[in-house]
Amino acid sequence: MTLPAILLKSGREKAVARRHPWVFSGAVEHVSGDPQGGDTVLVCASNGEPLALGAFSPQSQIRVRIWTWDAQASIDQDFFRARLQAALRCRQELRLFDETDAVRLVNAESDGLPGLVVDQYGGLLVMQCLSCGVERWRETIAECLVAESGIERVYERSDADVREIEGLPPRTGALLGAAPDLPVLIQENGLRFWVDVIQGHKTGFYLDQRDNRKRVAAYAKGGEVLDCFCYTGGFALAALRAGAGALVAVDASPAALDLARQNLQLNGFPEAAVDWVQADVFQHLRGLRDRGRKFDLVILDPPKFAPTSAQVERAARGYKDINLLAFKLLRPGGTLATFSCSAGVSMEFFQKLVYEAALDAGVQAQIVERFYQGRDHPVSLYFPEGTYLKGLCVRVG
Ligand code: SAH
């Protein structure tokens, strides 16, 4: 059977040759064979030489996501089984299950499966299909996942905004096995958390911050801590366990705060240990500053301010604003743990924004640590865009 083919423009073969997994629409000279969304296509150099196999996406600017650079391969159940086996083996070998039972098992492009995210929450898998190619193979992938992981329940959370760009409607629900009993209980670094995989953000929990929660907590002992954008209490609980003296935690979402309160109780901390505040962080920080409140550790873990590179400028103002306010709330000798999960904001650019905030706040400040996403969110060397989470630990003088 001949596959539909994508002929690249002359001079536009470089990215594919360098093993970048995306073929942009602007690099395509000609499409033959009338492929539909998700169909496997043969990507060819301008001289017709076959280079790779990928999944076609008719609407997205990313016209093809590459499955393999072996143009002779077959994209079938065996292909997906092998890729999933490799991803699962990686997590086993990283010994992540010593610390937690909630792990990202498949990290999309960086695990050779563009558009596929799979998170394990104890005895449940949560799967996100974010590209036409994964959408086409979702049932095959789900069956292979069950066979390879031994976990029988797969819940689908294909409701991320990026699906719209691919021309795919949102879809959620039990994909294999029974629907999960809510909330789902997980363990992380000796703490327990309830996770709402159905209504919660992303697949339910910010697994990418696991290591950082532990590292940031090390600065909490005996001090007053302010956890901004606290979600279900990840950083707050880690700080408490590390001996924080007092804790204020702020988030805009009542549902997240509700679960955060339950998580506090679940771990046996007294109810009064945390002052949970439902508020807009920007406004609340101004109020705290105006009242002259001071903290020893401030954590800023905001949502993606720049979902696309077009929004980077607006995002920059947002980051600078909250970091400036945070610096003003710190006691001398205090620590700021500040993050950005916008892929369009590099570590270098983020550092510049934090520097500008420190300058405007008039504080002496030094970077003592840098943070990235956890090891279960590896980044393919051929796909540097996969580094989306970055953070700085800054000590003020
Ligand atoms: N630190 C968390 C994850 C934070 S995700 C953890 O470790 O689990 C970002 C959070 O910011 C979400 O919970 C969202 O509800 C909240 N949020 C978004 N915009 C906000 C705003 N303007 N003010 C307060 N919270 C906001």
Side-chain angles (χ1 to χ4, degrees), residues 211-220 297 335-339 347 350-351 354 365-372 390-395:
D211 297 345
N212 301 334
R213 284 190 275 261
K214 191 173 170 183
R215 285 165 65 187
V216 169
Y219 298 88
L297 171 63
T335 303
L336 170 64
T338 179
F339 295 92
M347 176 61 104
F350 186 57
Q351 181 174 329
V354 176
Q366 49 193 177
I367 297 169
V368 289
E369 283 194 63
R370 285 172 194 276
F371 305 115
Y372 294 96
K390 71 273 320 171
L392 294 171
C393 190
V394 180
R395 193 175 178 281

Side-chain angles (χ1 to χ4, degrees), residues 122-387:
L124 175 74
L125 299 178
V126 182
M127 173 167 160
Q128 282 188 313
C129 306
L130 306 174
S131 66
C132 287
V134 171
E135 179 79 0
R136 163 63 55 92
W137 292 96
R138 65 189 265 278
E139 280 161 26
T140 305
I141 291 170
E143 282 162 17
C144 291
L145 271 170
V146 168
E148 295 306 321
S149 68
I151 297 170
E152 284 169 6
R153 295 200 291 181
V154 183
Y155 186 79
E156 186 174 6
R157 274 298 300 271
S158 297
D159 57 350
D161 294 343
V162 287
R163 270 177 71 97
E164 220 176 291
I165 304 170
E166 292 279 307
L168 301 168
R171 193 193 315 98
T172 60
L175 182 49
L176 286 178
D181 313 311
L182 280 184
V184 176
L185 184 65
I186 62 152
Q187 305 208 34
E188 173 187 285
N189 295 325
L191 290 163
R192 296 193 295 163
F193 292 92
W194 294 115
V195 178
D196 182 352
V197 297
I198 295 180
Q199 301 286 340
H201 298 173
K202 306 218 280 185
T203 64
F205 202 65
Y206 289 85
L207 298 173
D208 50 2
Q209 290 281 32
R210 179 191 316 110
D211 297 345
N212 301 334
R213 284 190 275 261
K214 191 173 170 183
R215 285 165 65 187
V216 169
Y219 298 88
K221 198 170 172 28
E224 276 187 84
V225 180
L226 175 62
D227 178 10
C228 300
F229 309 96
C230 67
Y231 191 50
T232 57
F235 279 98
L237 265 60
L240 269 185
R241 208 190 46 162
L247 229 143
V248 179
V250 189
D251 201 281
S253 158
L257 289 172
D258 204 40
L259 212 48
R261 282 193 191 91
Q262 292 181 47
N263 286 332
L264 183 75
Q265 197 182 26
L266 177 68
N267 289 282
F269 295 116
E271 212 180 303
V274 183
D275 179 13
W276 303 105
V277 181
Q278 192 213 322
D280 173 72
V281 164
F282 289 83
Q283 280 179 14
H284 195 69
L285 291 185
R286 283 195 184 88
L288 290 170
R289 177 200 58 191
D290 294 346
R291 292 199 297 278
R293 275 295 303 268
K294 295 286 176 195
F295 295 89
D296 303 290
L297 171 63
V298 177
I299 301 155
L300 295 177
D301 184 23
K304 227 185 271 172
F305 286 160
T308 69
S309 45
Q311 287 129 308
V312 167
E313 207 173 305
R314 225 190 89 235
R317 279 199 297 277
Y319 287 122
K320 201 177 145 185
D321 209 13
I322 45 170
N323 280 283
L324 170 58
L325 286 161
F327 277 127
K328 295 208 159 160
L329 293 173
L330 280 169
R331 293 197 175 96
T335 303
L336 170 64
T338 179
F339 295 92
S340 161
C341 59
S342 302
V345 174
S346 66
M347 176 61 104
E348 204 183 1
F349 185 51
F350 186 57
Q351 181 174 329
K352 181 169 166 276
L353 296 173
V354 176
Y355 141 75
E356 287 173 1
L359 187 65
D360 285 4
V363 294
Q364 273 303 331
Q366 49 193 177
I367 297 169
V368 289
E369 283 194 63
R370 285 172 194 276
F371 305 115
Y372 294 96
Q373 63 223 46
R375 292 168 299 152
D376 48 343
H377 297 59
V379 180
S380 163
L381 272 175
Y382 304 106
F383 185 65
E385 294 90 334
T387 314

